[in-house]
Amino acid sequence: MGHLIQNFENSNRLRMRAHRLIPGGAHTYAKGDDQYPMLSPGFIASGYGSHVWDVDANEYIEYGMGNRAVGLGHAYAHVVQAVMEELERGCNFTRPSRVEIDCASAFLETVPSAEMVKFCKNGSDATSAAIRLARAATGRDLIAICRDHPFFSTDDWFIGTTPMNAGVPDAVRDLTLGFRYGDLDSARDLLRRHPGRIAAFILEPSRGDAPKDKYLHRLKDLCHENGALFILDEMITGFRWHSGGAQQAYDIVPDLSCFGKALGNGFAISALAGKREFMDLGGIEQTSAPRVFLLSTTHGAETHAMAAAIATMQVYRHEPVIEHLIQQGTKLKTALAQVAAVHGLQNHFKVSGHPACLTYATLDAAGQPSQMFRSLFLQETIRRGVLAPSLVVSYTHSDEDIEKTIDAIDGALSVYKRALDRRVETFLVGRPSDPVFRRFNGPSTSAPPLPRLDGAGVGFAMPAADMMARKT
């Protein structure tokens, strides 16, 4: 892919400012410096389609896609045009706008298993509203979350279950229980140990493979037999597995479901949807039960975000978006398995997941997950013009993008192989990346030190092994 990218001078200058002004240096933990190697773009200046440019004018084929929020591609013309036209009329009013009805209608046509919908700005608001609604509908306090799924909300009911639970009272932590995906016995065990106390089970429909033996249907039946609601978190699966969500792909009707991310192709909009009997508890017309403060946010109904969602759903309805995502993801997954095998790394670098939402595992010489090798892989793919914290494709990832990505990863894995044979520290510049959910920062897990800026603009000493890496 041409010369190796080494210049991050402007990114490094901005890093110094960012860490003085913003806790963590970013407003999203997954985008923080501790999630990337030292030699990486700190700030993105622009994006178009499947490509992004950083503040040093380095170009990358991108596979994070805004933490999976961009399904069509950056600055997708149909969506941008709809947003611009709506913005010319204003974006926030004292009373509802017509676009709120239009967006709700479009959503319920696209996700036919839902009967009502309410919009908000982020996924955490939607899932937390679902939890509150389930507690109100059942009169119960306990919530069961799938322990195999990594994230549900920034709110206390979930964050209290992670190592980053500082500030969450024990009384709140004790209200959330865990079960395992695909394991009905683990759900039965919770219901047996907490009879009549669990308000809902919440889980993602899938992390990759389709559920086996009608697992979702059987779990839903188990929930209803025990008076609990069945909630699907479709933040990731929605608009990737199927335009109507994984619930439509798997023919399952949840009591409540939560959408976001690709719903607005990167614009801030999310949704809580579900059966009328539950959703109406947050309305102003029902009189048979106490009112539920469901969702009410100043910016929840910004008109331009809803215009973005409508335009996005139009593209999904009229163009083969899902088919393209699956096709390109399958190409990538198949080719990378072959590339890893050529390097003898099939037991150390593995790509898995749904074709529209691939992830990869980086394993050390002992076959154990390694942040050190993840950082090395990121460093080497970034240097070859690929920004891939995951391998999530969009509608604008072309065949040429896929081929260039395969070539870049081939080059990166050649370095990976040498690092396995020698010492990874010889090839990795600086500290490794860290998991987001960790209890403490420390010498090996703190935010990266502010770089010194040398004349070459790299800002970090470059070891001999790094200089010797092949161009691809």
Side-chain angles (χ1 to χ4, degrees), residues 46 92 147 210 217 264 302 338 342 360 369 393 407 425 459:
S46 64
N92 206 332
R147 295 290 194 199
H217 297 78
E302 285 178 324
Q338 295 170 349
V342 167
Y360 56 83
V393 295
D407 288 345
E425 294 88 348

Side-chain angles (χ1 to χ4, degrees), residues 173-191:
R173 299 182 204 174
D174 293 342
L175 295 176
T176 302
L177 314 170
F179 66 97
R180 303 308 301 267
Y181 186 86
D183 184 354
L184 279 176
D185 285 340
S186 70
R188 290 191 186 100
D189 182 59
L190 285 185
L191 292 164

Side-chain angles (χ1 to χ4, degrees), residues 8 12 15 38-39 429 449-452 454 457-462:
F8 302 106
N12 290 337
R15 279 187 175 106
M38 287 285 196
L39 296 181
V429 178
L450 297 178
R452 65 175 180 81
D454 59 25
V458 176
F460 305 98
M462 184 151 319

Side-chain angles (χ1 to χ4, degrees), residues 207-229:
R207 291 295 292 180
D209 296 332
K212 298 178 181 178
D213 301 323
K214 290 290 207 177
Y215 168 69
L216 294 178
H217 297 78
R218 294 166 69 196
L219 178 60
K220 176 185 171 182
D221 290 344
L222 187 62
C223 288
H224 288 179
E225 289 166 8
N226 289 272
L229 269 59

